[in-house]
Amino acid sequence: MDQHLISTVNRLQDAFATLGPTTNPIDLPQITVVGSQSSGKSSVLENIVGRDFLPRGTGIVTRRPLVLQLINRAKGTANGTSSESSEGDEWGEFLHIPGQKFYDFGKIRDEIVRETETKTGKNAGISANPINLRIFSPNVLTLTLVDLPGLTKVPVGDQPKDIERQIKEMVLKYITKPNAIILAVTAANTDLANSDGLKLAREVDPEGTRTIGVLTKVDLMDQGTDVVDILAGRVIPLRLGYVPVINRGQRDIEQGKAITSALEHEREYFENHPSYRAKAQYCGTPFLARKLNMILMHHIKATLPDIKQRIQSTLSKYQAELAQLGDNTLGTPSNIVLNVITEFCNEYRTILDGNSQELSSLELSGGARISFVFHELYSNGIKSVDPFDQVKDVDIRTILYNSSGSSPALFVGTTAFEVIVKQQIKRFEDPGLKCVTLVYDELVRILSQVLQKPIFKRYPVLKERLLSVVIQFFKQSLIPTNKLVQDLVSMESAYINTGHPDFLTGHRAMAIVNERMQASKPVQVDPKTGKPLPVAQKDPMSPVTIGGVGPSDENGGFFNSFFATKNKKKMAMMEAPPAVLKASGVLSERETAETEVIKLLISSYFNIVKRTMIDMVPKAIMLNLVIFSKDEMQRELLEKLYKSDVLEDLLKESDFTVSRRKEVQKMVDSLQTASEIVTGVN
């Protein structure tokens, strides 16, 4: 069962191999081998396998990650005829050449070199794209190792100038993953503190919980020195400890010394060395292989439930994205365009009506924003219009005189009231048109929101045409909407309905002003009794005094103030009036009263018109712009877009959609395979 766990992870690695190292969505347990170029990494791996199969040479030999899957199998179970020799019990397979078995391990080495050069060329460049190699043998323990390029300091020969940075970044991509076991290889005859592999491992695993150390070249240490302190964890402690090994020297390799002989020499060395013989069973390559096998199995057991869950959640995420990107075969172009237009119009109506499934709790959207424009912005804007910030008392007084013509008026003139009210009603036109513009902006905002849907990213040409047609449709709808708002204002100014039930009558206005003026006059009291003295005063609002203005008026006023500036001689000469004659001077009591009455009447009627405009302008905008767009947009889009000669052009997919669909489809296929692999594992 334990061996089956490792083979399960091997199959998962194969499933994700085509995705590349940077796009693998699942962090799988694996042993990553790091170390400097001269640390002996390749020899350690060859000793574990028991075969010469890795490229040799100077400089960077490993230029691509090698995912090495060792699979233990019993002798005589190879596929093929019964006449197969023992040589047929061991072979290698590359993932990039499925079905081809390499029984000659020298040819495995040649294929690694050839495949490396296909990605990196023949110079000393490196590539993060891994080579996947399986080795089946009765002489190996089931194990998964990732051999990474050796760390280097100085570029040599054709190596890129930033080779150190490139290799370090590549190694970090593998060992940073929490499920990676780090196999840090260090030559024992160098200072452990200067170990490149250990230094890099400590960057991502500072506590040393997932790092195991391998000490090579133990037999090359100075006489009288050993690695006992390191093995005991007294130098740089690692939770998984250290294992000392002995590799073949360069001369041994050149002379073709068999690995079996090298392993025998290694065993004898540790059993006979005074420093190691007491712990010889914990030294050497066979022990290292067993330890790695156990570490990997325990690690897989611990992480497998999380891997299962992550595979399912990631698969769901990518399946949802694939559904959004859409299938290549959605139907005929006419069906697709028709479906997109229908979906667009439905979504537009849904957002306007507030029935969207994606209602936000963070901000207002759609129809709610239009409501805000009507009931907050426009309503408050209309309420803030004050007729008397433009019409001053002197203006009212002048209009009163002008409206009475050549005969002094007996009553407060209706003409003056209407002239002023009509002038002020015109001021409602600008806020109404501004409200139309604000609602138009909100409809464009909804349009942009709908066009964020994935279907429109898929068809950028169709998206642009939709945007263009709908914007033009909105602009055309603005014309009758603006006209209706302007007509509403014109209607109000065309007929001043003084019979409106809410309008303040003239008599009531006179009474109010009279009360105010009487209340503001000082009351004279009898100094003896303290009671108010009866004052004979004429009613300033009586019909006798309303509007009657003439030279005999003793209360001041426009004409008296004009003649007061002339001396008697000039008055007798009767000079012509000035070119510009203004109603200036101090208002008489009667003129003050008349002005106040006019102001009361204007305020009363102005408030009636305000309420009407606040009620009617939103209705006009809803009728001619909002409701019209809901009802007529689909017809407009079908008329402009649903034409046989443009359908093909509209459905040209973006390059992003095409490439992304391929990526996501590969991801979904890999995750589905992975899901099938882990389904039966408990």
Side-chain angles (χ1 to χ4, degrees):
M1 177 60 192
D2 290 341
Q3 301 298 324
H4 177 60
L5 286 177
I6 297 178
S7 66
T8 297
V9 173
N10 286 349
R11 291 166 64 202
L12 289 176
Q13 283 179 323
D14 290 349
F16 295 125
T18 56
L19 300 177
T22 56
T23 53
N24 190 337
I26 307 298
D27 176 20
L28 296 173
Q30 57 190 11
I31 297 171
T32 52
V33 186
V34 297
S36 61
Q37 285 184 24
S38 57
S39 60
K41 290 190 303 93
S42 297
S43 295
V44 170
L45 293 176
E46 288 185 333
N47 283 2
I48 290 174
V49 175
R51 288 286 198 141
D52 289 312
F53 68 97
L54 292 174
R56 296 282 182 180
T58 57
I60 306 175
V61 179
T62 305
R63 294 191 283 140
R64 286 175 61 182
L66 177 67
V67 180
L68 182 61
Q69 298 174 358
L70 306 182
I71 300 169
N72 177 267
R73 50 172 298 286
K75 287 186 178 182
T77 58
N79 295 330
T81 62
S82 57
S83 62
E84 280 188 296
S85 65
S86 61
E87 284 290 314
D89 290 330
E90 293 183 280
W91 74 89
E93 293 180 4
F94 288 96
L95 196 63
H96 62 272
I97 315 176
Q100 183 173 342
K101 295 181 179 180
F102 290 80
Y103 293 97
D104 184 343
F105 279 74
K107 290 184 178 178
I108 290 178
R109 179 190 300 115
D110 296 340
E111 180 58 29
I112 292 174
V113 172
R114 190 198 65 77
E115 180 63 14
T116 297
E117 290 178 352
T118 61
K119 294 290 183 184
T120 64
K122 295 193 176 183
N123 61 11
I126 62 170
S127 168
N129 201 21
I131 297 173
N132 287 64
L133 171 63
R134 291 177 181 174
I135 292 181
F136 298 83
S137 171
N139 305 318
V140 298
L141 289 174
T142 301
L143 204 55
T144 303
L145 300 155
V146 181
D147 185 23
L148 297 169
L151 300 166
T152 185
K153 294 288 185 187
V154 181
V156 177
D158 293 335
Q159 292 178 358
K161 299 298 181 186
D162 62 341
I163 191 67
E164 180 185 5
R165 179 191 61 80
Q166 286 187 28
I167 294 176
K168 184 177 179 181
E169 287 179 356
M170 183 196 300
V171 172
L172 284 172
K173 279 180 184 176
Y174 279 88
I175 67 174
T176 302
K177 297 174 182 176
N179 282 346
I181 302 296
I182 304 169
L183 184 66
V185 180
T186 305
N189 59 348
T190 60
D191 187 353
L192 196 66
N194 293 326
S195 167
D196 294 328
L198 278 176
K199 280 198 288 187
L200 208 55
R202 288 182 71 119
E203 286 186 25
V204 297
D205 180 32
E207 302 298 321
T209 56
R210 55 186 180 91
T211 303
I212 177 172
V214 176
L215 301 171
T216 62
K217 306 181 182 180
V218 176
D219 54 332
L220 301 182
M221 296 181 70
D222 294 338
Q223 191 71 27
T225 60
D226 55 43
V227 293
V228 172
D229 285 345
I230 297 174
L231 299 179
R234 291 192 285 266
V235 181
I236 298 178
L238 296 175
R239 183 81 58 86
L240 301 177
Y242 293 85
V243 177
V245 298
I246 296 174
N247 298 330
R248 293 175 298 167
Q250 188 61 35
R251 182 177 295 177
D252 294 334
I253 295 171
E254 291 171 356
Q255 293 177 352
K257 183 177 181 179
I259 291 180
T260 52
S261 302
L263 292 174
E264 181 63 24
H265 167 71
E266 179 187 54
R267 183 185 63 77
E268 292 175 357
Y269 177 87
F270 286 117
E271 286 180 352
N272 297 323
H273 195 284
S275 299
Y276 307 119
R277 59 189 173 200
K279 299 284 186 180
Q281 68 269 34
Y282 302 114
C283 301
T285 303
F287 172 71
L288 174 63
R290 290 194 301 274
K291 182 166 186 171
L292 292 177
N293 178 264
M294 292 299 297
I295 289 171
L296 188 57
M297 283 193 296
H298 287 304
H299 192 47
I300 292 170
K301 278 184 181 178
T303 58
L304 196 58
D306 179 60
I307 289 173
K308 284 183 178 180
Q309 188 273 328
R310 288 184 63 191
I311 287 173
Q312 291 305 320
S313 62
T314 309
L315 177 59
S316 299
K317 183 184 79 171
Y318 280 105
Q319 283 175 330
E321 184 179 355
L322 187 61
Q324 288 182 339
L325 290 168
D327 199 338
N328 282 321
T329 55
L330 284 176
T332 62
S334 58
N335 284 344
I336 297 172
V337 173
L338 183 60
N339 289 338
V340 170
I341 290 174
T342 304
E343 182 180 339
F344 172 84
C345 294
N346 289 341
E347 186 68 17
Y348 175 78
R349 296 188 194 103
T350 298
I351 294 175
L352 264 180
D353 296 338
N355 297 326
S356 174
Q357 299 299 314
E358 302 170 6
L359 288 177
S360 171
S361 61
L362 303 177
E363 63 174 349
L364 295 180
S365 62
R369 291 180 65 93
I370 294 175
S371 177
F372 179 82
V373 170
F374 288 154
H375 302 298
E376 294 293 332
L377 300 182
Y378 177 68
S379 177
N380 290 332
I382 290 294
K383 289 174 183 176
S384 68
V385 176
D386 181 5
F388 303 115
D389 59 6
Q390 289 189 359
V391 181
K392 306 302 180 187
D393 287 1
V394 66
D395 303 318
I396 296 174
R397 187 178 167 199
T398 301
I399 293 173
L400 278 170
Y401 279 119
N402 287 333
S403 65
S404 63
S406 59
S407 301
L410 292 176
F411 300 97
V412 175
T414 304
T415 305
F417 161 73
E418 288 196 359
V419 167
I420 296 170
V421 166
K422 286 182 179 182
Q423 286 177 351
Q424 296 306 304
I425 287 175
K426 286 293 184 183
R427 295 174 62 192
F428 290 131
E429 185 172 299
D430 284 344
L433 296 177
K434 177 67 174 175
C435 185
V436 175
T437 302
L438 290 173
V439 173
Y440 167 83
D441 291 342
E442 291 305 321
L443 295 182
V444 173
R445 184 187 182 98
I446 293 172
L447 169 63
S448 300
Q449 183 180 341
V450 176
L451 291 178
Q452 293 304 312
K453 296 283 182 181
I455 187 71
F456 300 110
K457 291 183 180 176
R458 180 178 180 183
Y459 302 119
V461 178
L462 180 57
K463 176 181 177 180
E464 288 301 316
R465 289 288 293 128
L466 271 170
L467 180 64
S468 172
V469 169
V470 174
I471 291 290
Q472 189 60 34
F473 175 67
F474 286 159
K475 288 180 177 177
Q476 289 173 351
S477 303
L478 280 180
I479 298 171
T481 308
N482 286 334
K483 178 69 166 58
L484 184 52
V485 170
Q486 289 169 328
D487 286 347
L488 285 173
V489 177
S490 298
M491 286 160 50
E492 291 293 337
S493 64
Y495 177 62
I496 307 302
N497 181 19
T498 53
H500 195 285
D502 294 336
F503 182 58
L504 184 68
T505 63
H507 292 293
R508 178 63 185 145
M510 291 177 192
I512 293 171
V513 171
N514 190 34
E515 289 172 10
R516 290 177 184 171
M517 294 185 71
Q518 291 296 335
S520 65
K521 285 184 178 180
V523 179
Q524 293 183 347
V525 297
D526 188 334
K528 293 181 180 180
T529 63
K531 294 181 179 179
L533 292 174
V535 180
Q537 51 184 330
K538 54 185 177 181
D539 184 357
M541 303 307 293
S542 66
V544 178
T545 59
I546 293 177
V549 182
S552 62
D553 188 1
E554 298 174 357
N555 293 325
F558 165 49
F559 293 126
N560 278 356
S561 64
F562 176 73
F563 287 113
T565 62
K566 310 282 186 180
N567 58 37
K568 289 189 176 181
K569 282 188 176 182
K570 288 187 176 182
M571 291 170 63
M573 292 173 64
M574 293 182 61
E575 293 180 357
V580 178
L581 186 60
K582 294 186 177 180
S584 58
V586 179
L587 272 68
S588 68
E589 185 177 309
R590 181 185 60 259
E591 288 172 331
T592 301
E594 290 174 349
T595 302
E596 291 302 316
V597 168
I598 290 288
K599 289 172 72 173
L600 269 178
L601 295 176
I602 290 171
S603 293
S604 174
Y605 197 80
F606 209 65
N607 287 333
I608 293 171
V609 179
K610 279 184 180 180
R611 290 196 296 272
T612 303
M613 299 306 294
I614 289 172
D615 183 47
M616 294 303 296
V617 167
K619 290 179 178 179
I621 295 172
M622 288 298 294
L623 174 67
N624 274 6
L625 184 58
V626 179
I627 302 299
F628 182 76
S629 69
K630 283 173 59 179
D631 294 343
E632 298 297 323
M633 184 180 291
Q634 187 159 358
R635 178 197 57 76
E636 181 76 8
L637 288 172
L638 288 173
E639 183 180 317
K640 294 288 180 13
L641 299 181
Y642 196 61
K643 299 176 180 178
S644 58
D645 55 334
V646 298
L647 293 177
E648 292 287 348
D649 293 334
L650 291 177
L651 296 181
K652 285 181 179 175
E653 291 189 319
S654 66
D655 293 340
F656 167 80
T657 300
V658 174
S659 61
R660 184 60 183 164
R661 185 190 293 114
K662 289 180 181 177
E663 292 173 10
V664 174
Q665 186 63 61
K666 284 176 65 177
M667 194 72 74
V668 167
D669 292 344
S670 298
L671 287 164
Q672 285 175 336
T673 303
S675 179
E676 294 169 4
I677 291 169
V678 299
T679 298
V681 181
N682 298 320

